Amino acid sequence: MRKILIVGAGQSGLQLALGLQAEGYEVTLMSNRTPDEIRTGRVMSTQCMFHTALQHERDLDLNFWESQAPKTEGLGVSVAGPDGARPIDWLGRLDGYAQSVDQRVKMAGWMETFAQRGGQLVIHGAAVSDLDYFSRAYDLVLVAAGKGELVSMFGRDAERSPYTEPQRALAVAYVHGLGPRPEHPDLDAVRCNLVPGAGELFVMPTLTTGGRADILFWEGIPGGPLDVFSGVKDPAEHLSLTLQLMERFTPWEYARATKAELTDANGTLAGRYAPTVRNPVGRLPGGGLVLGVADVVVANDPITGQGSNSASKCAAAYLASIVERGEEPFDEAWMQATFDAYWDTARHVTKWTNAMLGAPPEHVLNLIGAAGGLQTVADRFANGFNDPADFENYFYDPEKTEAFLAEAAAR
C-alpha cells in the first residue's frame, strides 16, 4: 500500500492519519510533541464542533469522548448596550448538538491510538529541509502544521485574503465554577456576546483534562478596550483581566462567573493572527511538492468558531480524494483539484467569517434583532454554524434578508 507522511498532529492531521490507517495505507505521522507533552501542556483552542464535523469523527469511530463531553444544544446571541443593558438576547436551537473536547485530551488520545494501531509516530519538529528528503521517500507528503517555518512554503492567495493584519486580539481561559445562564439553566449553549465597537465574548461548555468545564473567550478589536492581554504571562492575571472585562462589558455573564477559577495552570491562551488563504501546493528546494491541509491553507479568525469544524471537513475531503486516486500519482494537478473540492465548502466559512469581522450592515442588525422575536430566525442563524453555506440564502443580500424575515413573520 502507498506510503503517506503527515506533518502535524492537530485535528486535521490526526483525523486524516487515522482515516488513512483504517484504509490500509502506510502512514507516518510527525509531531513536535509527545502525547504526554500535549496532555500536560497549554490549551490550544476553543474547538466547539458542530454536527457535520462531529459526524466525520463518528464515521471513523473516533468519537471517544462523545458520552463524556457536554452536549451543546443551543447557540445564543446577546448584544451589549450602554450601562450594562442587553437590547438583544436570544437562543437558537441546534438541530444536532455540538461538543467541545479540549484538544489536549483529544490529540493526545488520538496520537496514542494511532501508534497502538501500528502507525509510525515520529516526534520531531520538521523543517523544510526534512521534507525535501521525505518527499522522495513517500508517495505523498501532507503538511497539517499550521504554524512555524513550514507555512512559509505556501504563498498567500491575495484575492481570497482581504486582510493583511490581525482583526482580533484573542484571549482564552478554561474555568471551573461558572454558573448556568438563568434564561436556560438546564440547557448547555454557546453564548455569543457582541460588544459593538470593542469585540466579542464567547462562553461555551467543554470537556477538559479535569472533566466538565467552561471556556471564556474574548475577541478584542486591536487597539480597543478588550485588547489588554499582550504580554500577560501569569494565568491568574489573565483570568482576572477576563473577569474585569466581563464585569464592565457583559455584566450578565459576569454574574455567573464570580466563583470561576482556572481549570489548571495551563488553562489560558492569548495571541492574534491575520486571516489568510494560501496556495495549497508547496514547492520544496529539491523540486518535490507537498499539499497543505486545513488552517495551513485556509486560516480564518475564530470569531465564527469554525477552526476545528473546517479541519475535520478538510480531513474528510482529503481522505476521500486520496482513496479515490488509487494508484495514480499524487501530482500537482491532483493536489490542486483536491484543495479545490475542499474550498467549495471552505469558501463559505471564509466569506462569513470575514463578514463578521467588520461592522455589521443595517440588514444584518435587523436580522439579529428579529431573531429575538422570531424563533425560526434564531434557529436558522444558530444552525448556520454547522452549515455556513446557508448564509448565502439570507444573510449577505439585503433583499434576501428582508424576504426571509417577512416569511418568518408570516408564519
Side-chain angles (χ1 to χ4, degrees), residues 12 15-16 56 292-294 297 309-319 342:
S12 58
Q15 183 181 316
L16 186 53
H56 289 315
V293 184
V297 286
N309 294 273
S310 293
S312 176
K313 293 171 183 177
C314 183
Y318 279 26
L319 175 61
Y342 166 58

mmCIF file of all heavy atoms in Angstrom, residues 12 15-16 56 292-294 297 309-319 342:
data_model
loop_
_atom_site.group_PDB
_atom_site.id
_atom_site.type_symbol
_atom_site.label_atom_id
_atom_site.label_comp_id
_atom_site.label_asym_id
_atom_site.label_seq_id
_atom_site.Cartn_x
_atom_site.Cartn_y
_atom_site.Cartn_z
ATOM 1 N N SER A 12 -6.915 18.049 11.992
ATOM 2 C CA SER A 12 -6.915 17.555 10.609
ATOM 3 C C SER A 12 -5.870 16.471 10.396
ATOM 4 O O SER A 12 -6.146 15.436 9.778
ATOM 5 C CB SER A 12 -6.692 18.713 9.631
ATOM 6 O OG SER A 12 -5.462 19.369 9.909
ATOM 7 N N GLN A 15 -6.940 13.201 12.332
ATOM 8 C CA GLN A 15 -8.143 12.598 11.743
ATOM 9 C C GLN A 15 -7.812 11.954 10.403
ATOM 10 O O GLN A 15 -8.267 10.842 10.100
ATOM 11 C CB GLN A 15 -9.236 13.655 11.586
ATOM 12 C CG GLN A 15 -10.559 13.114 11.042
ATOM 13 C CD GLN A 15 -11.606 14.209 10.873
ATOM 14 O OE1 GLN A 15 -11.774 15.056 11.743
ATOM 15 N NE2 GLN A 15 -12.301 14.198 9.749
ATOM 16 N N LEU A 16 -7.009 12.641 9.611
ATOM 17 C CA LEU A 16 -6.621 12.116 8.302
ATOM 18 C C LEU A 16 -5.713 10.894 8.454
ATOM 19 O O LEU A 16 -5.866 9.888 7.745
ATOM 20 C CB LEU A 16 -5.937 13.210 7.493
ATOM 21 C CG LEU A 16 -5.569 12.912 6.037
ATOM 22 C CD1 LEU A 16 -6.782 12.402 5.251
ATOM 23 C CD2 LEU A 16 -5.000 14.165 5.383
ATOM 24 N N HIS A 56 -18.121 13.349 10.991
ATOM 25 C CA HIS A 56 -16.906 12.839 10.352
ATOM 26 C C HIS A 56 -16.099 12.002 11.348
ATOM 27 O O HIS A 56 -15.523 10.970 10.981
ATOM 28 C CB HIS A 56 -16.056 13.989 9.812
ATOM 29 C CG HIS A 56 -16.637 14.677 8.619
ATOM 30 N ND1 HIS A 56 -17.179 13.989 7.543
ATOM 31 C CD2 HIS A 56 -16.745 15.995 8.306
ATOM 32 C CE1 HIS A 56 -17.613 14.857 6.637
ATOM 33 N NE2 HIS A 56 -17.358 16.075 7.075
ATOM 34 N N GLY A 292 -0.831 21.328 1.392
ATOM 35 C CA GLY A 292 -1.243 21.925 2.657
ATOM 36 C C GLY A 292 -2.631 21.474 3.063
ATOM 37 O O GLY A 292 -3.502 21.241 2.230
ATOM 38 N N VAL A 293 -2.834 21.367 4.370
ATOM 39 C CA VAL A 293 -4.079 20.845 4.939
ATOM 40 C C VAL A 293 -4.678 21.869 5.898
ATOM 41 O O VAL A 293 -3.963 22.500 6.682
ATOM 42 C CB VAL A 293 -3.819 19.521 5.699
ATOM 43 C CG1 VAL A 293 -5.133 18.919 6.205
ATOM 44 C CG2 VAL A 293 -3.079 18.520 4.828
ATOM 45 N N ALA A 294 -6.001 22.031 5.850
ATOM 46 C CA ALA A 294 -6.781 22.802 6.840
ATOM 47 C C ALA A 294 -6.213 24.208 7.020
ATOM 48 O O ALA A 294 -6.062 24.945 6.051
ATOM 49 C CB ALA A 294 -6.870 22.035 8.160
ATOM 50 N N VAL A 297 -3.656 26.208 4.877
ATOM 51 C CA VAL A 297 -4.044 26.862 3.622
ATOM 52 C C VAL A 297 -5.285 27.747 3.748
ATOM 53 O O VAL A 297 -5.481 28.644 2.937
ATOM 54 C CB VAL A 297 -4.242 25.824 2.498
ATOM 55 C CG1 VAL A 297 -2.887 25.317 2.021
ATOM 56 C CG2 VAL A 297 -5.090 24.650 2.944
ATOM 57 N N ASN A 309 -14.014 22.672 13.040
ATOM 58 C CA ASN A 309 -15.004 22.183 12.081
ATOM 59 C C ASN A 309 -14.397 22.114 10.679
ATOM 60 O O ASN A 309 -14.535 21.113 9.974
ATOM 61 C CB ASN A 309 -16.226 23.098 12.082
ATOM 62 C CG ASN A 309 -16.975 23.059 13.396
ATOM 63 O OD1 ASN A 309 -17.835 22.225 13.609
ATOM 64 N ND2 ASN A 309 -16.642 23.961 14.305
ATOM 65 N N SER A 310 -13.722 23.183 10.287
ATOM 66 C CA SER A 310 -13.097 23.208 8.969
ATOM 67 C C SER A 310 -11.996 22.161 8.868
ATOM 68 O O SER A 310 -11.832 21.513 7.821
ATOM 69 C CB SER A 310 -12.528 24.600 8.684
ATOM 70 O OG SER A 310 -13.571 25.549 8.556
ATOM 71 N N ALA A 311 -11.228 21.970 9.938
ATOM 72 C CA ALA A 311 -10.167 20.964 9.931
ATOM 73 C C ALA A 311 -10.743 19.571 9.732
ATOM 74 O O ALA A 311 -10.200 18.755 8.975
ATOM 75 C CB ALA A 311 -9.367 21.032 11.228
ATOM 76 N N SER A 312 -11.852 19.293 10.395
ATOM 77 C CA SER A 312 -12.495 17.983 10.255
ATOM 78 C C SER A 312 -13.030 17.792 8.842
ATOM 79 O O SER A 312 -12.874 16.717 8.236
ATOM 80 C CB SER A 312 -13.635 17.855 11.272
ATOM 81 O OG SER A 312 -14.339 16.643 11.106
ATOM 82 N N LYS A 313 -13.654 18.826 8.291
ATOM 83 C CA LYS A 313 -14.212 18.737 6.940
ATOM 84 C C LYS A 313 -13.106 18.613 5.896
ATOM 85 O O LYS A 313 -13.253 17.888 4.899
ATOM 86 C CB LYS A 313 -15.094 19.958 6.661
ATOM 87 C CG LYS A 313 -16.364 19.986 7.519
ATOM 88 C CD LYS A 313 -17.118 21.303 7.409
ATOM 89 C CE LYS A 313 -18.340 21.314 8.323
ATOM 90 N NZ LYS A 313 -19.067 22.602 8.291
ATOM 91 N N CYS A 314 -11.986 19.309 6.119
ATOM 92 C CA CYS A 314 -10.863 19.198 5.200
ATOM 93 C C CYS A 314 -10.289 17.788 5.227
ATOM 94 O O CYS A 314 -10.021 17.188 4.177
ATOM 95 C CB CYS A 314 -9.781 20.211 5.562
ATOM 96 S SG CYS A 314 -8.367 20.217 4.442
ATOM 97 N N ALA A 315 -10.101 17.236 6.417
ATOM 98 C CA ALA A 315 -9.567 15.879 6.532
ATOM 99 C C ALA A 315 -10.474 14.875 5.840
ATOM 100 O O ALA A 315 -10.001 13.963 5.149
ATOM 101 C CB ALA A 315 -9.392 15.515 8.010
ATOM 102 N N ALA A 316 -11.787 15.040 5.988
ATOM 103 C CA ALA A 316 -12.732 14.127 5.343
ATOM 104 C C ALA A 316 -12.659 14.238 3.823
ATOM 105 O O ALA A 316 -12.681 13.230 3.104
ATOM 106 C CB ALA A 316 -14.153 14.413 5.838
ATOM 107 N N ALA A 317 -12.557 15.477 3.318
ATOM 108 C CA ALA A 317 -12.490 15.688 1.866
ATOM 109 C C ALA A 317 -11.189 15.124 1.294
ATOM 110 O O ALA A 317 -11.179 14.468 0.241
ATOM 111 C CB ALA A 317 -12.594 17.183 1.555
ATOM 112 N N TYR A 318 -10.071 15.357 1.975
ATOM 113 C CA TYR A 318 -8.776 14.850 1.510
ATOM 114 C C TYR A 318 -8.738 13.323 1.563
ATOM 115 O O TYR A 318 -8.175 12.677 0.674
ATOM 116 C CB TYR A 318 -7.650 15.433 2.357
ATOM 117 C CG TYR A 318 -7.218 16.833 1.979
ATOM 118 C CD1 TYR A 318 -8.084 17.728 1.353
ATOM 119 C CD2 TYR A 318 -5.930 17.289 2.269
ATOM 120 C CE1 TYR A 318 -7.692 19.011 1.029
ATOM 121 C CE2 TYR A 318 -5.525 18.572 1.945
ATOM 122 C CZ TYR A 318 -6.398 19.431 1.332
ATOM 123 O OH TYR A 318 -5.997 20.706 1.007
ATOM 124 N N LEU A 319 -9.288 12.742 2.617
ATOM 125 C CA LEU A 319 -9.324 11.283 2.734
ATOM 126 C C LEU A 319 -10.046 10.677 1.531
ATOM 127 O O LEU A 319 -9.556 9.726 0.904
ATOM 128 C CB LEU A 319 -10.009 10.870 4.037
ATOM 129 C CG LEU A 319 -10.244 9.366 4.252
ATOM 130 C CD1 LEU A 319 -8.935 8.593 4.266
ATOM 131 C CD2 LEU A 319 -11.031 9.127 5.547
ATOM 132 N N TYR A 342 -12.240 20.880 -1.486
ATOM 133 C CA TYR A 342 -12.416 21.354 -0.105
ATOM 134 C C TYR A 342 -12.819 22.827 -0.085
ATOM 135 O O TYR A 342 -13.682 23.243 0.701
ATOM 136 C CB TYR A 342 -11.132 21.144 0.692
ATOM 137 C CG TYR A 342 -11.122 21.890 2.004
ATOM 138 C CD1 TYR A 342 -12.115 21.666 2.963
ATOM 139 C CD2 TYR A 342 -10.145 22.841 2.287
ATOM 140 C CE1 TYR A 342 -12.126 22.365 4.163
ATOM 141 C CE2 TYR A 342 -10.150 23.542 3.483
ATOM 142 C CZ TYR A 342 -11.136 23.305 4.415
ATOM 143 O OH TYR A 342 -11.155 24.008 5.598
#
